[in-house]
Structure formats: structure tokens, C-alpha cells
Amino acid sequence: MHFHDLLIYASIALTLVAMVYVRWKRQKLYNAAGTMNGPLALPLIGQLYLIFGAKPGDDLLKVINRFSPLYNSPVGVWLGPVFVVAINDNPNHIQTVLNSPHLLNKMFVYNFFRVDLGLFASPAHIWKNDRKLLNRSFSPAMLASFVDTFNDKDFIMVKNLKKHVGTGEIDLRLHIAKCTFDSFFSTSFGKDLNTQGHDGADSYINSLSIFFALVFKRILSVQRYPMWLYRLTEDYKTESKCWNMIRDISKRLLQERKLHPRQTELLQQGDNFGRKPALNFADNLFDEAENNPSLTEEHLLDHIHTIILGGNDTTTTTMSNLVLMLAIHQDVQEAVYQDVISECPDKTKPITTEEANSLTYTEMVCKETMRLFPVGPLLARKCLADVKLDEKHTIPEGCCVCISVYTMHRAASIWGPEPTKFNPDHFLPEKVANRHPYAYIPFSGGPRNCIGIRYAWLSMKILIAHLVRNYRFRTSLRMEDLDVKFAGILRIANGCKVSIEQR
């Protein structure tokens, strides 16, 4: 036998030994997978063949929609060497996952968003401390101090839309984006960008959308996971260009704060009437940094990036979806209008916190919009220790867990025989009381839920109230025409194409 042949046989033997060793080390994962249903898994690649060659976004949702009704949760999925436990329609399982102390860490793909130290993707031990520090940024008193800003920016949007009355359909998304962008930066950083007065922010807003789309494209392309390979692609160059634009604004905010620190004594004393200006997100963050050396400049930047990425585009998308739902469902729009004018009929006056909180039907419509179109349709966590789901199933240490919010929000077992129909009555008090609390989680759930829930509800209700008491919206689109895509966040690809009529 030649040396060359011996080398081949030795290589084969070593490969087999390595495979047996890996299989033995991962036996717990294979045992768990054996208790769960799922599509056929091929050797080495598992179920990756289902999304190979797929266009990012809509095809993934089609895959999820095609297979979710065929298998009860939990579903075992192999994405190459990564074992994922997928939960689609079982609120009890979801409650267990989102409240387990062993499932607080996000899946590694969240790091692709480049905010390793922000609340969005940071490890649990960092997140716990930071969440406590930042909770006061979203307290009821803080939110109440933002209401004047919400109204000011919404009045500007109402005024700007007048020129589009009677001109046919337009895509309202950019108008909504500028309004929420201005409100967001004013309330989060105390900085009035006035983007509704000019076109300077268009490129920045577009960069956010492109960045989300490219990150999600990478998530679907396993071969792009190694950074050294991803750097060779054109997408990496485009993504980096978008990220640099986002990062530049964050750096400028940080630098301005260093050059012009708040006058603490003045804030403590208040103005001539004894009123103390409210702290915004940035004020709280920098105050904590002064007394906490663990909050480095990089850490501060990641928090700023996180609040920008998580707070602006998601609100814009949800508001665009909400206006489109009103335009499609004229009876619902009329009911929202009646709800608004019963509480705040004078369109020349701002809407108070109390009035916004009284808009119960309007809130039902907001919730139904986020049921059908949750901006975060998938949640993914890393399991650090075995977690028992039920008598039959255990999530094994070392795997990942994926919750399909999109699927659960459209499950007939939860929402009745017409789960895809837009029906705000799903959120009547008696129906909510009889439904599992984890059947509806547009802002995630458990201790690591979205920190800005109350901010989102308040800002959305105030904006929609301003819009409907001034205008009526119509559209040629129907529900069956809508093309839903998942590109980092869930979007209606048709946009928010509506015509505007003066009330």
C-alpha cells in the first residue's frame, strides 16, 4: 500500500472519528430534535434547502406560512449545524421561553446589526444593568413631558399634507417618517432637526431602510456569516456606507453633548415658575455615564444607535400600516374619527395625554394593525441551560429558539376562523380577557420586552388623532393586494399609497 493511499485512509478515519465525536458531544441536541416535528432534514445542511436561493423577505414568510400549519409547536429545525427550536402557535410555550432566565440572550445574528452593547443585542448580564439605568427614560412622567413635542410635529405634518388634498394617491410613508423622525430626535435627544421643513433627512431615512434590508439578507445567507467573507461582497460596502451615515449622526450627538453639557444646577432649580425641564433619553444616559465608568464612549454610542434603529423606523412602519388599514376599511376609519372627535373635537387644539388615553377604539385599531403586521415578526434567543417546555419537550442547552410572532398572530386556533381579516373587535375587553396574554406580543414579552412600548402607543394615538380629524384617506389597494416582506422588520412593500380628502 502506497503512502498516498495510507494518507487517504487516515484522513477518512479521522473524519469519521471527528463526526462521531461531534455527534456524541451534541447528543442532547439530537435527542431533543427527535421529540419534535419538522420538515425533512438533509445531511449537513438540515432544512437550509428550504431558503437557499430565496429572495430576502417575502419568500421566507412564504416558507413559514407553508410549513407552520403542518407541524405543532415546538418544531425542530436544523440550519446547517445550528439547531433551532421554532414556536409558532403555542402561547404557553412562548410564555415559558420569554420568561426563562436561561433564554435572555439574543441569537448571534442580532450582532449583525452592529449594536453589540445596546439593549437590542447585548448579553444578558450587560442588558440587565442597562435596562435598569434606562427605564426612567420611559416613565409616565417622562412620556407626559413629550406630548407637547408630539403635537407640535403632528401639526406640521397636517399642514404639509394640505397641498396633497385632491391630487390623487401618494405614498404617505415619507411624510410619516419625517414627522416621527422629528418627534423622536426632539424627545430622545432634545434636538429639533425640523426635517419636515426640508429634504435633508431623506437620505438618512433611506439609509435606515437599506441597512435593515441588507442585514436581513445576510441573516438568510449562511455563507456570509464569517466577516472575512462578507467583507468581499458589494452588499457589505453598501451596508457600511449606510451604517457610517447612521453612526455619524450618533457621534455628532455625543460630541455636542460633550461640548454643551446640561447645566445641572439650573435643572435642579427649574425656571422662574419652578418648573423643571424633563430629562430626555440622552440626558439620562449621560447622567448615568458621569457616575458609571462602565459606560464607555463605545457603550454610549451603541445605546444611541439602538434607540435610533429601534425607535424610528419601527414607529414609521407601524403608522404607515395603520393609515393604510384605515384607507382600506372606510367603516373602521369612520369609527376612529367618531372616537377622536368625541374626546378632542377641536382640530386647532393639541391632544392631551388624558385624551389620548381615552381613545379606546383607536387603540383597538392600532393593536389590530400590529397583530396582522408586527414589525418584529421573528424573535430569536440563545439557550444557556435546559428549559422544560412541557412533559414531552425540553429545549436543550446550546440551541437557539425562534418565535414566529407573525404566525401566532394569524393562527386560527387563537383568532378564530378568519384570522387574516382586519377586525379591531379582536381587542374588545371581553375577548382580551379570555385570550392568553402571550398570544399577542407585538413588542415581545417577558423581562426583555421592548422598553418603548408606552412611548409607541402614546405617539401613535396622538398622530392618528390629528390625521383623522383633519383628513379622510382612501386607497385603491385591497387587503389581498398587499405584498408583505420581512427585511429586518416587517413591511408592506406596496407602501402607504393613499389619496387625501379634507374633512
Side-chain angles (χ1 to χ4, degrees), residues 280-292:
N280 56 40
F281 170 81
D283 290 334
N284 283 330
L285 187 61
F286 293 124
D287 274 1
E288 293 295 343
E290 290 175 5
N291 303 308
N292 191 339

Side-chain angles (χ1 to χ4, degrees), residues 18 29 44 65 83 112 135 184 292 443 451 457-458 492 498:
L29 299 180
L44 298 180
N65 285 335
F83 181 56
F112 294 169
N135 269 336
F184 172 76
N292 191 339
F443 295 98
I451 196 172
W457 286 133
L458 183 61
I492 296 176
V498 296

Side-chain angles (χ1 to χ4, degrees), residues 269-335:
Q269 296 171 2
D271 60 16
N272 293 332
F273 300 98
R275 296 176 302 188
K276 296 180 181 180
L279 294 174
N280 56 40
F281 170 81
D283 290 334
N284 283 330
L285 187 61
F286 293 124
D287 274 1
E288 293 295 343
E290 290 175 5
N291 303 308
N292 191 339
S294 67
L295 288 174
T296 64
E297 182 168 314
E298 194 63 30
H299 201 158
L300 292 174
L301 281 172
D302 269 4
H303 278 309
I304 294 173
H305 298 150
T306 298
I307 204 72
I308 290 174
L309 292 175
N312 185 67
D313 206 25
T314 52
T315 304
T316 295
T317 299
T318 299
M319 275 303 308
S320 298
N321 296 343
L322 176 55
V323 173
L324 185 60
M325 290 302 100
L326 296 181
I328 292 175
H329 305 92
Q330 289 292 310
D331 56 334
V332 174
Q333 183 176 177
E334 182 59 27

Side-chain angles (χ1 to χ4, degrees), residues 23-227:
R23 177 86 186 196
W24 174 73
K25 289 286 287 183
R26 296 161 60 85
Q27 190 60 44
K28 187 184 289 187
L29 299 180
Y30 288 105
N31 290 342
T35 70
M36 301 176 188
N37 295 318
L40 175 66
L42 299 179
L44 298 180
I45 68 169
Q47 283 96 353
L48 273 176
Y49 67 90
L50 295 174
I51 58 174
F52 272 160
K55 296 178 181 178
D58 55 341
D59 288 301
L60 178 65
L61 288 178
K62 289 175 183 176
V63 169
I64 292 173
N65 285 335
R66 186 164 70 248
F67 286 99
S68 291
L70 304 179
Y71 307 102
N72 293 327
S73 297
V75 179
V77 179
W78 286 98
L79 301 179
V82 179
F83 181 56
V84 178
V85 177
I87 302 176
N88 301 318
D89 56 5
N90 190 318
N92 286 316
H93 288 171
I94 291 173
Q95 183 175 19
T96 298
V97 169
L98 294 180
N99 286 282
S100 171
H102 306 305
L103 284 158
L104 289 175
N105 282 312
K106 301 291 186 75
M107 191 174 173
F108 66 91
V109 294
Y110 281 72
N111 293 326
F112 294 169
F113 288 91
R114 307 194 189 201
V115 284
D116 299 354
L117 296 177
L119 288 179
F120 178 68
S122 60
H125 67 280
I126 295 177
W127 164 81
K128 287 179 182 178
N129 184 56
D130 288 353
R131 178 71 180 242
K132 291 177 183 178
L133 296 178
L134 298 175
N135 269 336
R136 66 172 181 161
S137 298
F138 299 93
S139 67
M142 184 73 72
L143 293 177
S145 73
F146 295 160
V147 169
D148 287 345
T149 299
F150 292 151
N151 279 288
D152 290 345
K153 301 307 177 184
D154 295 349
F155 275 125
I156 294 173
M157 181 176 173
V158 167
K159 180 180 178 181
N160 288 344
L161 290 183
K162 284 186 178 180
K163 61 178 176 290
H164 297 290
V165 172
T167 62
E169 289 189 348
I170 64 168
D171 190 343
L172 206 62
R173 179 181 169 82
L174 184 58
H175 289 277
I176 294 173
K178 287 186 173 185
C179 181
T180 58
F181 189 80
D182 281 351
S183 292
F184 172 76
F185 270 87
S186 292
T187 56
S188 296
F189 303 107
K191 188 173 181 62
D192 188 0
L193 297 181
N194 189 30
T195 61
Q196 294 189 93
H198 57 82
D199 297 328
D202 292 15
S203 58
Y204 179 83
I205 293 170
N206 289 333
S207 290
L208 284 171
S209 298
I210 294 170
F211 177 77
F212 272 117
L214 290 177
V215 169
F216 186 67
K217 183 178 179 180
R218 185 185 177 194
I219 291 173
L220 287 186
S221 307
V222 178
Q223 71 275 15
R224 294 187 176 201
Y225 283 11
M227 179 54 77

Side-chain angles (χ1 to χ4, degrees), residues 333-348:
Q333 183 176 177
E334 182 59 27
V336 169
Y337 174 69
Q338 295 299 331
D339 188 36
V340 170
I341 63 171
S342 69
E343 297 294 335
C344 36
D346 189 344
K347 65 179 67 177
T348 66

